[in-house]
Amino acid sequence: MKTIFTICSLVFASQIVHAANTSLICQNPRQEYSVKFDDVKRKLVLNKSTSYKVLAIEKQDDATIAVGSTVNGGPTFKLVLSKDNQPKFEFYEDDKLFQTDKCRYVK
């Protein structure tokens, strides 16, 4: 029984760590901007004031991908948070990629 409790505790603890907020600094052609992403609350905020609607989150072994819509009927986005590669923020209009912003993790 103690072994099962320990295993369950470890699994639960790893999920808490994985669910922590992710903070990024991204660079578009004009400027740097901050991104805060919470996969549990399904919340994505840019520069502390602009919220994007998260429509779907896909968790893979090596990455978490969030897809959603920007404000006022603007383009859709895909945020790729990779464990091994540089994170990136992609923007799509009419199902075509038109901009990829490179990002870096903020601790």
Side-chain angles (χ1 to χ4, degrees):
M1 182 69 168
K2 186 177 179 181
T3 303
I4 293 172
F5 177 75
T6 303
I7 291 170
C8 289
S9 297
L10 290 172
V11 169
F12 183 69
S14 69
Q15 290 175 344
I16 290 172
V17 170
H18 180 69
N21 289 332
T22 301
S23 296
L24 304 166
I25 298 293
C26 299
Q27 175 75 44
N28 67 25
R30 296 178 305 275
Q31 64 187 359
E32 277 192 347
Y33 58 95
S34 65
V35 175
K36 294 217 183 266
F37 174 64
D38 185 328
D39 64 341
V40 172
K41 294 180 181 176
R42 298 174 67 96
K43 186 174 180 181
L44 191 137
V45 178
L46 280 69
N47 291 333
K48 300 180 182 177
S49 62
T50 304
S51 294
Y52 285 179
K53 185 175 183 178
V54 177
L55 300 173
I57 298 172
E58 179 182 346
K59 294 184 180 186
Q60 302 172 348
D61 289 339
D62 61 345
T64 297
I65 300 168
V67 177
S69 56
T70 59
V71 296
N72 300 326
T76 57
F77 72 84
K78 179 168 80 171
L79 177 65
V80 180
L81 304 172
S82 176
K83 295 176 184 175
D84 300 325
N85 297 315
Q86 182 178 30
K88 61 183 176 178
F89 211 0
E90 298 177 337
F91 296 89
Y92 295 81
E93 190 93 55
D94 298 323
D95 298 328
K96 295 181 182 164
L97 176 66
F98 74 88
Q99 181 176 312
T100 300
D101 297 347
K102 294 181 180 179
C103 305
R104 66 183 185 277
Y105 292 104
V106 177
K107 296 183 182 196

